[in-house]
Amino acid sequence: MIRGMIFNIQRFSIHDGPGIRTAVFMKGCPLRCEWCHNPEGQRNRLELSFILHKCVGCGRCIEVCPAGAHAVKPNASAFEGEQPFTHTLDRNKCIVCGKCAEACAYGALSVAGKLYTPEEVIAEVLRDMPFYKNSGGGVTFTGGEPFAQHEFLLEMLKLSKSEGLHVCIETSLFAPTDMLLEAAAYTDLFLADYKESNDDLHKKFTGVSNKTIIDNFRAIDAAGAKIELRCPLIPDRNDREEHYRGIADLANSLSNVVEITLEPYHPLGTSKCENFGYDCKYDRREFMDKADAEKAAEFIRSLTNTKVRVQ
Ligand code: SF4
Ligand code: SF4
């Protein structure tokens, strides 16, 4: 029986395709984008999140941890307003059994990742069928990179279509072309990322070349798949005219791009990196200025007839 690793099933989503949708967040991704806002989606394994500021130092996690990974000590030199204790988590010892997350009554600990069968996921998605029907919504498979669990994804796609759901896949398109074409038969709209036009910079920012991605844009476009071009705008990385021209050129070279969506940077991923114990390569704490994103949109509109929207 196929089972796959999901880290969130988000109901009533309005930013992951048309209408009201349920977004299914799948674990595992071959890219390592510096600005990733879902770092818990990168690795296909269970991961423990620890939000230090929610901790009250009760010590319940210490009592239940079989690995001795937690330590709470009083901190007599804490300033007013600071926690009067230090809490350290040794991730090298942690076996991600989840016992501390169950024991913590303050929401400081949680485990990202749960195994599901395709049927279990779709049963969850179908709970909101009346909302999809009224709003033109449906289900969106996102992540992480959904194609990193392609067999599991394909089963969910088939089930979704057999239930009459509108289906979107949010993807980097960094996947074998045959997998994408197989999935296209069950997909109404690809929400496909285009992160950087300059290949050297694409490698630097994401860890992989954009060549496969561009080839895959052409392959799914030739197969008639509908595409929404999703372009993260990241200050001091890809917020350049050269890249904006690249976005317009790509859209103009394809036949089935229904929209270009610009996604101005938001800093949610930086705190998530800390919670999951990862180094944050792009540590900007401020949102991108919406006016800068609108300027980028205007510039791209001057180069293409495709609709351009700022999310
Ligand atoms: S159980 Fe929760 S609140 Fe208590 S010490 Fe552990 S993390 Fe902190
Ligand atoms: S997940 Fe398990 S092993 Fe890891 S810190 Fe919590 S209780 Fe300990």
Side-chain angles (χ1 to χ4, degrees):
M1 182 202 297
I2 296 178
R3 292 204 298 169
M5 182 84 76
I6 302 284
F7 66 95
N8 193 11
I9 297 179
Q10 189 178 308
R11 298 168 69 193
F12 304 111
S13 168
I14 52 165
H15 293 301
D16 297 296
I20 295 172
R21 313 190 70 82
T22 294
V24 177
F25 290 82
M26 301 172 64
K27 263 183 157 288
C29 181
L31 275 65
R32 289 291 177 269
C33 302
E34 289 185 6
W35 53 79
C36 179
H37 60 273
N38 283 329
E40 75 274 43
Q42 291 182 344
R43 293 153 189 87
N44 189 359
R45 60 171 192 240
L46 299 177
E47 292 176 279
L48 183 66
S49 165
F50 174 41
I51 304 176
L52 180 59
H53 70 84
K54 289 192 176 180
C55 173
V56 300
C58 71
R60 282 285 293 135
C61 51
I62 300 173
E63 290 165 24
V64 299
C65 178
H70 290 277
V72 177
K73 293 199 177 106
N75 179 8
S77 56
F79 293 112
E80 198 182 329
E82 278 188 337
Q83 286 164 317
F85 58 86
T86 56
H87 183 160
T88 50
L89 168 63
D90 186 342
R91 290 183 182 272
N92 292 326
K93 289 183 180 169
C94 175
I95 54 169
V96 204
C97 68
K99 288 185 177 161
C100 60
E102 281 170 29
C104 179
Y106 298 91
L109 293 158
S110 59
V111 173
K114 189 175 166 194
L115 286 171
Y116 285 82
T117 64
E119 291 77 11
E120 285 168 339
V121 175
I122 301 308
E124 185 77 19
V125 169
L126 289 174
R127 290 170 62 190
D128 291 330
M129 198 61 158
F131 294 99
Y132 312 146
K133 287 210 163 125
N134 290 334
S135 69
V139 62
T140 298
F141 298 99
T142 179
E145 168 51 62
F147 285 96
Q149 300 188 66
H150 73 278
E151 282 183 30
F152 179 49
L153 173 66
L154 196 60
E155 287 309 306
M156 292 192 290
L157 294 176
K158 289 177 181 172
L159 285 172
S160 299
K161 275 292 147 210
S162 71
E163 297 287 351
L165 287 162
H166 181 275
V167 175
C168 292
I169 304 178
E170 185 167 20
T171 172
S172 65
L173 291 186
F174 192 78
T177 308
D178 55 346
M179 279 183 203
L180 296 165
L181 294 177
E182 194 177 14
Y186 308 95
T187 304
D188 295 287
L189 180 63
F190 282 85
L191 310 175
D193 293 350
Y194 189 54
K195 300 167 194 286
E196 172 57 59
S197 305
N198 177 307
D199 194 29
D200 289 336
L201 290 177
H202 196 282
K203 284 181 199 149
K204 188 172 166 208
F205 298 153
T206 73
V208 305
S209 165
N210 66 13
K211 288 204 166 68
T212 304
I213 292 167
I214 293 170
D215 287 349
N216 281 334
F217 267 112
R218 305 218 182 285
I220 64 169
D221 185 66
K226 294 270 172 286
I227 301 168
E228 181 180 318
L229 212 56
R230 295 215 147 193
C231 307
L233 297 186
I234 313 298
D236 303 324
R237 294 295 187 274
N238 64 6
D239 58 339
R240 310 179 320 280
E241 282 195 5
E242 176 208 10
H243 176 48
Y244 300 156
R245 282 184 197 282
I247 293 170
D249 288 348
L250 180 63
N252 291 341
S253 72
L254 302 172
S255 304
N256 294 302
V257 176
V258 295
E259 190 169 52
I260 298 169
T261 301
L262 303 183
E263 302 176 312
Y265 172 77
H266 65 72
L268 185 60
T270 56
S271 55
K272 281 197 195 175
C273 274
E274 283 167 11
N275 300 344
F276 284 93
Y278 294 121
D279 288 337
C280 191
K281 284 194 199 149
Y282 183 76
D283 196 16
R284 181 185 161 108
R285 303 289 162 138
E286 301 87 41
F287 286 77
M288 182 179 186
D289 193 334
K290 196 93 190 248
D292 290 341
E294 288 295 348
K295 261 192 229 161
E298 270 313 304
F299 183 74
I300 295 167
R301 281 184 198 115
S302 72
L303 302 170
T304 180
N305 291 326
T306 308
K307 184 178 166 201
V308 183
R309 176 173 73 94
V310 176
Q311 179 141 289

